[in-house]
Amino acid sequence: MAKRDYYEVLGVSRDAPEAEIKKAYRRLARQYHPDMNPDRKEEAAEKFKEIHEAYEVLSDPEKRARYDQFGHAGTEFTGFGPGADFGFGGFGDLFDVLFNNFGAPFTQQRRGPRRGADLQMEVDLSFEEAAFGAEREVKIHRWEDCDACGGTGAAAGTKPVTCPTCGGTGQVRVTQTIAFGHFQTVRTCDRCHGEGRVIEKPCGTCQGQGKVRRLRKVKITVPAGVDTGSVLRLAGEGDLGARGGPPGDLFVSMRVRPHKIFHREGDNVVCEIPISFVQAALGDEIEIPTLEGKTNLKIPEGTQPGAVFHLRGKGIPHLKGYGRGDQVVKINVMIPTRLTDRQKELLRQFAEATGAEQYQTRGKGFFGKMKDAFMG
């Protein structure tokens, strides 16, 4: 007889999360456990074996991935062998298997070393600081060991003791008798809150927490080439870890203030430079700003509005490599708005002297194309 689809066995979808799979398994395991079905024990045992087999595969990420790709051929179940005994010894033992085993890893994880929380902050930078890098000092509030108790949480001359309620396990078992047997659950110890130890005389400085919140100054090195949204990670500068765990990290997000002249396009620095139409027509050499000071730019004769010039290597340093971008200079030809009568007369004479031929380009030119468009 062909095996049923494991997702169908547990009654979950193929994209069901781990928690949903675990919940479905617990429900079905309770429903079909042989001890709960004395009148059809053999049938229930087969059903229970099928449910357990499906869970063994779908609860393991690697096995589940192989099953999703290759089906039953991608897994080899080695759980229940032929003639397996399902005599758990009563309904209470079943709950002990289903609930205590699931809870134990959680408790062990709670009591083990735990990494400290990461911290985040934002730093404002000038355009030049972002371009060339900077050294900054920032202030952060973070949790650190209490100096008064050395991080134990206990007052001077004392130390934490094993919790007398749970015996240091951090958890207690609660057993209830019901019609079918014993119902046993495991919960976190109320006295030590899962820590396994209690502080009889807390430290007066940290009130038994073992840590205090302090304001610290941290120096950061901003690399050249960062931009708004760039994030700098400072390992170990976050909150204190718990139970010997490592501290968290500090993540510093960059925000670059706008510049009055420049704006950024990738690693290029872009600026617009105004020139007169006389400079554009006759050519000139002008002084322009750069991120590192002033430099000269030669304007060729006959430069057109919107012309673009590149100053190689005058842009932003590449953040993840060598070299720099360019400074892109866009020419904006300024047309005078207030002309004297003498200036107007000179311009009319200039127009008569040049004629339309001055504005012809290769091919038909602009005016030729206009004539074609309107006259056909």
Side-chain angles (χ1 to χ4, degrees):
M1 181 177 176
K3 288 185 178 181
R4 285 203 300 155
D5 179 76
Y6 286 148
Y7 292 99
E8 180 184 344
V9 170
L10 296 183
V12 297
S13 63
R14 300 192 74 83
D15 58 352
E18 182 181 350
E20 184 180 341
I21 291 174
K22 183 182 295 185
K23 182 179 179 180
Y25 170 65
R26 290 180 178 180
R27 176 177 55 81
L28 293 171
R30 289 195 298 269
Q31 181 180 349
Y32 290 102
H33 189 272
D35 288 348
M36 291 294 297
N37 297 271
D39 296 335
R40 47 190 185 95
K41 198 164 187 175
E42 290 185 6
E43 180 184 347
E46 289 299 320
K47 184 71 174 177
F48 187 86
K49 181 165 65 174
E50 182 184 42
I51 293 167
H52 187 77
E53 179 179 335
Y55 178 73
E56 281 289 307
V57 172
L58 299 186
S59 64
D60 186 304
E62 292 185 6
K63 291 180 181 179
R64 183 177 180 179
R66 291 198 301 269
Y67 177 73
D68 288 342
Q69 186 173 4
F70 302 108
H72 292 292
T75 60
E76 184 177 352
F77 180 71
T78 57
F80 296 126
D85 180 14
F86 293 95
F88 281 89
F91 190 55
D93 286 343
L94 168 64
F95 272 80
D96 185 64
V97 169
L98 292 180
F99 291 100
N100 185 34
N101 288 346
F102 283 125
F106 171 75
T107 304
Q108 293 168 6
Q109 183 179 8
R110 272 192 67 174
R111 298 184 60 201
R114 191 170 62 199
R115 183 177 177 274
D118 293 331
L119 301 179
Q120 296 182 356
M121 67 176 306
E122 191 174 63
V123 169
D124 279 342
L125 300 173
S126 69
F127 197 89
E128 289 81 1
E129 286 177 324
F132 300 117
E135 296 287 335
R136 298 290 291 272
E137 188 175 74
V138 298
K139 295 180 180 179
I140 58 170
H141 284 91
R142 67 185 181 193
W143 289 103
E144 298 182 355
D145 273 327
C146 174
D147 294 332
C149 64
T152 65
T158 67
K159 61 181 181 179
V161 298
T162 301
C163 176
T165 301
C166 65
T169 64
Q171 59 183 4
V172 293
R173 294 173 181 266
V174 179
T175 303
Q176 293 177 304
T177 301
I178 60 176
F180 299 102
H182 300 290
F183 180 84
Q184 188 177 73
T185 59
V186 177
R187 60 177 174 81
T188 301
C189 176
D190 292 332
R191 182 166 184 178
C192 67
H193 305 291
E195 297 292 333
R197 60 179 192 167
V198 293
I199 298 173
E200 296 178 333
K201 189 176 180 181
C203 169
T205 302
C206 64
Q207 286 73 51
Q209 294 187 80
K211 58 184 181 179
V212 292
R213 197 164 177 81
R214 291 193 179 99
L215 178 65
R216 288 294 188 189
K217 294 181 180 180
V218 178
K219 289 185 177 181
I220 64 174
T221 300
V222 179
V226 297
D227 199 359
T228 295
S230 296
V231 177
L232 183 64
R233 172 177 170 267
L234 280 71
E237 294 290 354
D239 276 340
L240 174 75
R243 305 176 197 89
D249 299 334
L250 172 63
F251 291 88
V252 182
S253 179
M254 309 297 169
R255 183 172 61 187
V256 182
R257 296 190 297 271
H259 197 278
K260 293 181 179 180
I261 299 174
F262 304 112
H263 71 271
R264 182 170 177 171
E265 293 182 0
D267 287 335
N268 290 338
V269 172
V270 182
C271 66
E272 289 191 6
I273 300 297
I275 63 173
S276 70
F277 76 99
V278 175
Q279 288 174 306
L282 302 180
D284 198 1
E285 187 169 329
I286 61 174
E287 189 176 70
I288 64 170
T290 71
L291 290 176
E292 299 171 291
K294 296 180 179 179
T295 190
N296 290 332
L297 175 66
K298 187 175 181 179
I299 304 297
E301 181 179 318
T303 295
Q304 300 299 306
V308 174
F309 298 94
H310 283 256
L311 303 181
R312 302 296 179 187
K314 291 290 186 180
I316 305 291
H318 300 313
L319 183 59
K320 297 181 179 180
Y322 298 98
R324 294 172 57 176
D326 299 337
Q327 177 166 328
V328 179
V329 181
K330 296 182 178 180
I331 298 300
N332 185 11
V333 179
M334 305 300 292
I335 306 299
T337 57
R338 295 180 180 179
L339 296 174
T340 65
D341 291 341
R342 173 61 176 163
Q343 290 169 335
K344 293 178 181 179
E345 179 60 29
L346 291 174
L347 284 177
R348 292 189 186 100
Q349 294 177 13
F350 173 75
E352 291 176 0
T354 57
E357 293 80 6
Q358 177 70 22
Y359 305 99
Q360 297 294 323
T361 57
R362 288 180 296 179
K364 290 188 176 181
F366 177 72
F367 292 109
K369 292 176 182 178
M370 285 187 60
K371 182 178 179 180
D372 290 345
F374 286 101
M375 300 184 64

